[in-house]
Structures are given as C-alpha cells and as structure tokens.
Amino acid sequence: MKKIISLFAAIVVAISLVAVPVNAEGEVTIYLGSSTTTAKDGDVFTVTLNSNEGTKLVGLSGCSVTFDKTRLECINMAFAEDCYGATNIVEDEIRMNPISNSVITNPVVTLTFKVKEGAAAGDAVFGLSTDAIMVDNESSGITYDTLYSGFK
C-alpha cells in the first residue's frame, strides 16, 4: 500500500516566512505554497514561492528552498514570466537568484516535486531563506532597493 505524506502540517508550521520592512506602508514577505496537502508514492505536486500582495518585487538574491531528499525529488523549476536568473540544485537545497526588469508576478518560482517510491510516511518539511530582497522603489524607470533579510 502506498504511504501518505502529510504536506499540509509541514507547509503551515515549518515553512519559514522572510519579512523585512520596506517603508511605513508595509512589509515584503516571501512565502511558500503547495498545490496539495497530501501526496503518495509517485505523485507529482508543485510548491510555489510567492510575495505578498502589492509587493513590487523585482528580485531575490541568495534565495534557497530546502526539502527532504529522502522522500522527494525536484523534477522541474520555472521562474515567473519575464524573470530570469541562476539556479542550482545541490542535494536537498534549491538555490536561485530570480530577477526581472519589471515587477515579478506570483508565483515568483514554481518548483515541481515527485514523491519517491517507498517514501516513509510523515511530514515533508520545506525551508525558505534569502540573503536579499530587491523591490522597485517607484522612481522613474526601475531601480532597485536591496533589503537584507538577516536570514540564512
């Protein structure tokens, strides 16, 4: 019988939110979301990296998502339209630097995972960190304010 992996608890409880003040009007928050709350052996699902509503996000530097490589395999990664940057998957960490010449729409990054055959039942925990968040400072044209998160 195929084992069930409970993703919901991990996504609600274990995902790190990275928030840094932008100005008096609000904060920039980046967060992860999932296309499902449970999965079984062989299932494919997505995890998205998003920014809060109204954020004028134009880039992330030193961003990484960690995952449980004993249960999951990352099979695809896609940036938002008009977004580009370097990516690298090392063991249980997906490193990326998404950037754009315009404000990035959600999802900023879509990661596709496959549950490995024979994966042990339990929570699949994801982690999120970034070194810097770049936002449009709304001057003429696009320029960048870099905000350092303090998380790593």
Side-chain angles (χ1 to χ4, degrees):
M1 182 170 145
K2 295 188 176 202
K3 296 177 175 84
I4 303 295
I5 294 180
S6 172
L7 298 174
F8 182 72
I11 290 169
V12 171
V13 176
I15 289 180
S16 304
L17 292 180
V18 180
V20 253
V22 175
N23 54 38
E25 297 164 7
E27 294 184 333
V28 174
T29 303
I30 60 171
Y31 61 94
L32 297 174
S34 177
S35 63
T36 187
T37 57
T38 60
K40 59 185 182 299
D41 293 4
D43 281 358
V44 173
F45 65 96
T46 59
V47 171
T48 56
L49 187 152
N50 305 283
S51 63
N52 58 314
E53 189 71 29
T55 297
K56 299 198 182 286
L57 181 72
V58 292
L60 299 170
S61 177
C63 185
S64 69
V65 173
T66 56
F67 63 97
D68 184 346
K69 71 176 186 173
T70 65
R71 295 183 173 130
L72 303 171
E73 174 186 7
C74 182
I75 59 174
N76 192 40
M77 177 174 21
F79 287 140
E81 188 175 337
D82 297 328
C83 191
Y84 56 91
T87 61
N88 190 16
I89 300 175
V90 179
E91 295 291 319
D92 62 348
E93 181 180 20
I94 303 163
R95 300 174 188 165
M96 62 195 108
N97 295 298
I99 194 161
S100 179
N101 292 324
S102 58
V103 173
I104 302 171
T105 58
N106 284 330
V108 177
V109 178
T110 302
L111 305 169
T112 305
F113 290 92
K114 182 176 181 179
V115 180
K116 291 182 174 180
E117 294 297 326
D123 292 342
V125 179
F126 295 87
L128 171 62
S129 67
T130 190
D131 291 337
I133 298 172
M134 293 163 277
V135 294
D136 176 5
N137 70 5
E138 298 183 11
S139 59
S140 61
I142 293 272
T143 58
Y144 304 101
D145 284 339
T146 301
L147 306 168
Y148 294 92
S149 68
F151 292 93
K152 187 156 183 170

